[in-house]
Amino acid sequence: MKNMESFLFVPEGSDFTIWNIPFGVLERKGYTAVCTRIGDVIVDLNQCMATPLFDGLDLPGEIFLQPSLNAFMALGKGVTVPAREQIQAALAKGGILDNDIYKETDIFLPADDVKLRLPIDIGDYTDFYSSREHATNVGTMFRDPANALLPNWLHLPVGYHGRSSSIVMSGTPIRRPNGQTMPDGADRPVFGPSKQLDFELEMAFVIGTGTKLGQTIPVQNAEEHIFGLMLFNDWSARDIQKWEYVPLGPFLAKNFASTISPWVVTLEAIEPFRVAGPGQSPEVLPYLAADGKKNYDIHLSVEIIDADGASKPVSASNFKYMYWNMCQQLAHHTVNGCNVRTGDIMASGTISGPTPDSYGSMLEICWKGTKPVQMPNGTQRTFIQNGDTVRIRGWCSKEGVRIGFGECDGTITAD
Amino acid sequence: MKNMESFLFVPEGSDFTIWNIPFGVLERKGYTAVCTRIGDVIVDLNQCMATPLFDGLDLPGEIFLQPSLNAFMALGKGVTVPAREQIQAALAKGGILDNDIYKETDIFLPADDVKLRLPIDIGDYTDFYSSREHATNVGTMFRDPANALLPNWLHLPVGYHGRSSSIVMSGTPIRRPNGQTMPDGADRPVFGPSKQLDFELEMAFVIGTGTKLGQTIPVQNAEEHIFGLMLFNDWSARDIQKWEYVPLGPFLAKNFASTISPWVVTLEAIEPFRVAGPGQSPEVLPYLAADGKKNYDIHLSVEIIDADGASKPVSASNFKYMYWNMCQQLAHHTVNGCNVRTGDIMASGTISGPTPDSYGSMLEICWKGTKPVQMPNGTQRTFIQNGDTVRIRGWCSKEGVRIGFGECDGTITAD
């Protein structure tokens, strides 16, 4: 694998190497198509249907002439995995597309000229809470440091349902939400813009093939249903959350927006980066028992870019820290017969690591406002200000092989 | 209005009078169409496109040749309200359809021969918690009778996100969910079928026309976005819920299934049944202030029908008891800029009245198992058993005018 190389130029440090071959959806003048990317070149897969690239796969004729990846993902891994492999081979040196006759076609497009859209028609969205460090930090700050984890936390991957309608593409401006909050010491709530707007560093996976109501997905079959992953920012208004969330969980504090990265990186792409997860003790119930390496070594970073463009890195975390892995999450989600559908997405919850520089939210990084972040221009942040952009990145890197997720950006605008 | 009469026979006590004209979707041999019902006759509205019924409305040609009501609802009330009025007039004595030439067409179908399907392509599903009596009962049983309502409850309509994928049509069998529970006094959780399977008597409204991210819907505009209502059973596994729901709310305890009734009754149909809601004190924040009659007098009943067909009525409640009305719920839901889409549904939460015979769940009716329900065959219920059918009904009735919602049925099968 290491020696593979594309005939397209891949800049040093690019997320989009020949090993990646992620899937996205481009849009121009009413035309939408599934695409992939090598270096700074977008490859229109629908245009590739006129080449021999997909020979032998028997794909439906309009499978890439779509506004989302859903139709393709629904074909199942028996089709999507070889399809991706054929795309990868075609984009390698000497591959099918490495041919002058394709240079003047609409197959290859400069990334800067292409508008990408939300790649998934999202059905249901679930958010987990699967980082032990994050749950411990929150429990320590708001409850009892000696009993930071709630009694159920080590026995099941805690999750809750979120809002699909407000999941937006990277780059979509995020309006600061208004809402009800209860100021400390007040006897009645007040209404206004959130004063504690935060990000949450998360990853999300998307369901490729679904189940029927009543079916379960055992841990050992879960990967068959997981098409791939994206970066995810679960924007959170902490002051709204604090007042509203007991007893039924977060609602308006989170459903004003979540930001997702444009490229779905497949499970197959990150296969070389599997690692073992943290040990689980107490022992989990049999339906959650997961053998083997079920975590992935994905570096994650967060920076805050102020209105003048000056950047401040605020977190360096890793997806491998997750206590509950994706297979356990999906097995738990369906163990009661809950069905999943193509395009459902499931997010990890905030991914915090063991040290303060790896925490995945301003709430933790600034420890409830007590340790402000110093910005390059001398101002401070305890939460996110209007005009700030939060940029999440994620990448795998090993022995010269790099696979990245691109950027997950959101800029906060005034309410 | 009172004197209106259909040329089709309407049995005494029918839910489907000329005043109702609800919307559903029928399905046969791959054909799906929007329909309505008078008495025991289904009226295929797509077949009516070949009659003069919709003259003057400029409807898209395939607006009723659909698998759901979404396309029709998305047209907005400027179209859907006159469309319904023209359907109503056409089905009245002497109306356009009161003509022998239509008797042999596929317009009119016997209700017993028609299969109805889930009438809505549901986007997001939100569940509120808006009955003061229900919240008080739960708080009394599980927390502190002296402080049964949590501090936020009288200030905002508490809500949370639910699962869309598992919302099923009335009549769909419901498999008893498996899950994790923590038995009293145990030191570790166990796995198995829920032993505390409950119903929740609710109503749900459906969004007709949506909003863009960042927009709000003021209380006074909310009815423009509410197409109509259905009956809703928010099945709940209390033992699973108790163990999982802190701190992020219910998840597997509810997402195994919710049951919805097949007919969407429009807001316009129930207009004559508007009533004032309960007084709200303390005064709500200005964005939640709602003048006028925003509640509806809708009688609600629940019966448990055992495997032998013997029925036991267990609740007689009313939608008018809701402390927070639908307009307040929708205004609150969108005040942070959260967008809503055609087909989103929002449920009320359990609708309990002031007296034990009006409580909307077995948890409350049997008061945590201390007051079992006596079934006709001498057995007892504190929760729902395998083979039991839970049937919810709802209807408005005044001065000879009756408008009903049909039945919302679910039968529990073994895990």
Side-chain angles (χ1 to χ4, degrees):
Chain A
M1 184 184 98
K2 270 184 279 179
N3 297 322
M4 215 177 346
E5 196 175 344
S6 177
F7 62 88
L8 293 166
F9 175 67
V10 179
E12 182 69 25
S14 172
D15 284 346
F16 305 102
T17 61
I18 187 71
W19 302 288
N20 194 343
I21 315 293
F23 291 96
V25 178
L26 63 83
E27 176 173 16
R28 45 174 180 160
K29 298 176 191 163
Y31 169 83
T32 58
V34 175
C35 57
T36 188
R37 179 171 171 169
I38 294 274
D40 294 330
V41 176
I42 304 284
V43 182
D44 182 333
L45 297 175
N46 182 53
Q47 299 293 332
C48 292
M49 291 295 275
T51 77
L53 198 166
F54 297 110
D55 279 4
L57 283 178
D58 199 23
L59 294 175
E62 303 201 333
I63 194 67
F64 296 125
L65 182 61
Q66 298 282 338
S68 77
L69 301 178
N70 289 46
F72 178 63
M73 295 191 297
L75 296 176
K77 295 211 177 189
V79 177
T80 61
V81 170
R84 179 176 164 277
E85 288 169 354
Q86 293 188 206
I87 296 164
Q88 189 174 46
L91 288 165
K93 274 193 176 162
I96 284 170
L97 296 177
D98 187 6
N99 189 322
D100 284 348
I101 63 170
Y102 298 126
K103 283 193 177 161
E104 303 303 308
T105 66
D106 283 340
I107 291 177
F108 302 111
L109 306 163
D112 285 348
D113 296 353
V114 174
K115 185 184 172 200
L116 297 171
R117 52 180 285 146
L118 195 68
I120 303 165
D121 181 12
I122 302 170
D124 280 296
Y125 152 51
T126 296
D127 196 24
F128 285 95
Y129 184 60
S130 288
S131 154
R132 182 173 187 159
E133 290 79 3
H134 172 66
T136 302
N137 286 341
V138 172
T140 300
M141 278 187 272
F142 290 104
R143 289 182 296 267
D144 173 10
N147 296 286
L149 289 182
L150 287 162
N152 56 17
W153 202 93
L154 292 170
H155 294 285
L156 54 83
V158 171
Y160 65 105
H161 299 113
R163 180 94 192 163
S164 293
S165 72
S166 53
I167 298 175
V168 297
M169 257 291 272
S170 175
T172 307
I174 306 296
R175 207 193 70 161
R176 178 176 295 270
N178 283 305
Q180 252 193 61
T181 57
M182 180 63 98
D184 287 342
D187 63 352
R188 57 176 54 206
V190 297
F191 179 82
S194 169
K195 293 174 180 166
Q196 299 184 350
L197 184 52
D198 203 354
F199 63 84
E200 291 195 339
L201 166 60
E202 305 197 9
M203 295 201 72
F205 67 86
V206 57
I207 297 294
T209 51
T211 54
K212 289 186 179 163
L213 192 67
Q215 285 186 323
T216 61
I217 299 178
V219 167
Q220 51 275 24
N221 296 353
E223 289 170 1
E224 274 304 301
H225 295 269
I226 299 173
F227 182 82
L229 288 94
M230 298 81 64
L231 304 171
F232 194 83
N233 183 345
D234 180 25
W235 298 100
S236 298
R238 301 297 178 194
D239 43 357
I240 295 173
Q241 186 174 350
K242 186 179 171 191
W243 172 233
E244 75 173 359
Y245 92 107
V246 176
L248 298 179
F251 184 48
L252 299 190
K254 288 174 178 278
N255 68 14
F256 59 95
S258 312
T259 302
I260 201 165
S261 57
W263 296 102
V264 182
V265 175
T266 65
L267 266 198
E268 290 69 34
I270 59 173
E271 177 70 28
F273 301 94
R274 279 183 186 273
V275 291
Q280 295 187 317
S281 174
E283 194 177 359
V284 300
L285 282 164
Y287 82 93
L288 290 170
D291 292 335
K293 297 176 176 177
K294 293 276 195 279
N295 281 38
Y296 294 87
D297 181 9
I298 304 174
H299 300 276
L300 297 167
S301 73
V302 186
E303 58 190 304
I304 300 174
I305 304 166
D306 70 19
D308 297 323
S311 165
K312 171 73 180 183
V314 293
S315 182
S317 187
N318 196 303
F319 192 49
K320 73 182 178 189
Y321 296 138
M322 302 300 294
Y323 186 85
W324 296 103
N325 61 57
M326 295 184 282
C327 297
Q328 292 177 315
Q329 290 169 342
L330 191 50
H332 182 64
H333 202 317
T334 59
V335 77
N336 65 347
C338 178
N339 58 324
V340 296
R341 297 180 290 195
T342 299
D344 288 348
I345 74 168
M346 301 191 185
S348 56
T350 307
I351 305 164
S352 291
T355 54
D357 60 350
S358 63
Y359 292 169
S361 67
M362 290 296 274
L363 180 69
E364 297 163 85
I365 293 165
C366 303
W367 207 257
K368 269 180 105 176
T370 61
K371 299 175 180 176
V373 164
Q374 305 294 327
M375 294 294 290
N377 67 0
T379 61
Q380 295 187 332
R381 297 286 185 280
T382 51
F383 289 99
I384 304 302
Q385 291 189 0
N386 294 346
D388 286 351
T389 297
V390 174
R391 172 169 294 169
I392 299 175
R393 290 177 184 269
W395 66 95
C396 305
S397 181
K398 189 169 70 174
E399 298 166 15
V401 172
R402 182 184 162 102
I403 290 174
F405 288 77
E407 294 164 354
C408 180
D409 282 6
T411 303
I412 300 299
T413 65
D415 66 286
Chain B
M1 185 184 100
K2 269 185 281 181
N3 296 322
M4 216 178 346
E5 197 176 343
S6 177
F7 62 88
L8 292 165
F9 176 67
V10 179
E12 182 70 24
S14 172
D15 283 346
F16 305 102
T17 63
I18 186 70
W19 301 289
N20 193 344
I21 315 294
F23 292 96
V25 177
L26 65 83
E27 176 172 17
R28 45 175 180 158
K29 297 176 192 161
Y31 168 83
T32 58
V34 175
C35 58
T36 188
R37 178 171 172 169
I38 295 275
D40 295 329
V41 176
I42 304 284
V43 182
D44 181 333
L45 296 176
N46 182 51
Q47 299 293 330
C48 291
M49 292 295 274
T51 76
L53 198 168
F54 296 109
D55 280 3
L57 283 177
D58 199 24
L59 295 175
E62 302 201 333
I63 193 69
F64 296 125
L65 182 62
Q66 299 283 338
S68 77
L69 301 178
N70 288 44
F72 178 63
M73 295 191 297
L75 296 175
K77 294 210 177 188
V79 177
T80 61
V81 169
R84 178 175 164 276
E85 288 169 353
Q86 291 186 209
I87 297 165
Q88 188 174 47
L91 288 165
K93 274 193 175 161
I96 284 170
L97 296 178
D98 187 6
N99 188 323
D100 284 348
I101 62 170
Y102 298 126
K103 283 192 178 162
E104 303 303 310
T105 66
D106 283 340
I107 291 176
F108 302 112
L109 306 163
D112 285 347
D113 296 351
V114 175
K115 182 183 173 201
L116 296 171
R117 53 182 283 147
L118 194 68
I120 302 164
D121 181 11
I122 301 169
D124 280 297
Y125 152 51
T126 296
D127 196 24
F128 285 94
Y129 184 59
S130 288
S131 155
R132 180 172 186 159
E133 290 79 3
H134 171 67
T136 302
N137 287 339
V138 172
T140 300
M141 278 187 274
F142 290 103
R143 287 184 296 266
D144 172 11
N147 296 287
L149 289 182
L150 287 163
N152 57 16
W153 203 92
L154 292 170
H155 294 284
L156 55 82
V158 172
Y160 65 105
H161 299 113
R163 180 96 191 160
S164 293
S165 71
S166 54
I167 297 176
V168 297
M169 257 292 274
S170 175
T172 306
I174 307 296
R175 206 193 71 160
R176 179 177 296 270
N178 283 306
Q180 250 191 62
T181 57
M182 179 63 97
D184 287 342
D187 65 351
R188 57 176 54 206
V190 298
F191 179 81
S194 169
K195 294 174 179 167
Q196 298 183 350
L197 185 52
D198 202 353
F199 64 83
E200 290 195 340
L201 166 60
E202 304 196 12
M203 296 201 72
F205 67 87
V206 58
I207 297 295
T209 51
T211 54
K212 290 186 179 162
L213 191 68
Q215 285 188 324
T216 61
I217 300 178
V219 167
Q220 50 275 25
N221 296 355
E223 290 170 359
E224 276 304 301
H225 294 269
I226 300 173
F227 182 82
L229 289 95
M230 298 81 66
L231 305 171
F232 194 84
N233 183 345
D234 180 25
W235 299 100
S236 298
R238 301 297 179 193
D239 42 359
I240 295 173
Q241 186 174 350
K242 187 179 170 189
W243 173 233
E244 76 172 359
Y245 92 108
V246 176
L248 297 179
F251 185 48
L252 299 189
K254 289 175 178 276
N255 68 15
F256 59 95
S258 312
T259 302
I260 202 165
S261 57
W263 295 103
V264 182
V265 175
T266 65
L267 266 200
E268 291 68 35
I270 59 173
E271 177 69 29
F273 301 94
R274 278 183 188 273
V275 292
Q280 295 186 317
S281 175
E283 194 177 357
V284 299
L285 281 164
Y287 82 92
L288 290 170
D291 291 335
K293 298 176 175 176
K294 293 275 194 279
N295 281 38
Y296 294 88
D297 181 10
I298 303 174
H299 301 276
L300 297 167
S301 74
V302 186
E303 58 191 304
I304 299 173
I305 304 166
D306 70 18
D308 298 323
S311 165
K312 171 72 179 184
V314 293
S315 181
S317 188
N318 197 301
F319 192 50
K320 72 182 178 188
Y321 296 138
M322 302 301 292
Y323 186 85
W324 295 102
N325 61 57
M326 295 184 283
C327 297
Q328 292 176 316
Q329 290 169 341
L330 191 50
H332 183 64
H333 202 316
T334 59
V335 78
N336 65 346
C338 178
N339 57 325
V340 297
R341 296 180 291 195
T342 299
D344 287 348
I345 74 169
M346 301 192 184
S348 55
T350 307
I351 305 164
S352 291
T355 55
D357 60 351
S358 63
Y359 292 169
S361 67
M362 291 296 274
L363 181 69
E364 296 163 86
I365 293 165
C366 302
W367 207 255
K368 271 180 101 175
T370 60
K371 299 175 178 176
V373 164
Q374 305 293 327
M375 294 295 290
N377 68 357
T379 60
Q380 294 187 331
R381 296 286 184 283
T382 51
F383 288 100
I384 305 302
Q385 292 189 359
N386 293 347
D388 287 350
T389 298
V390 175
R391 172 169 293 169
I392 299 176
R393 289 177 184 271
W395 67 95
C396 306
S397 181
K398 189 168 74 174
E399 300 166 12
V401 172
R402 182 185 161 102
I403 290 174
F405 287 76
E407 294 164 353
C408 180
D409 284 5
T411 303
I412 300 299
T413 65
D415 66 287

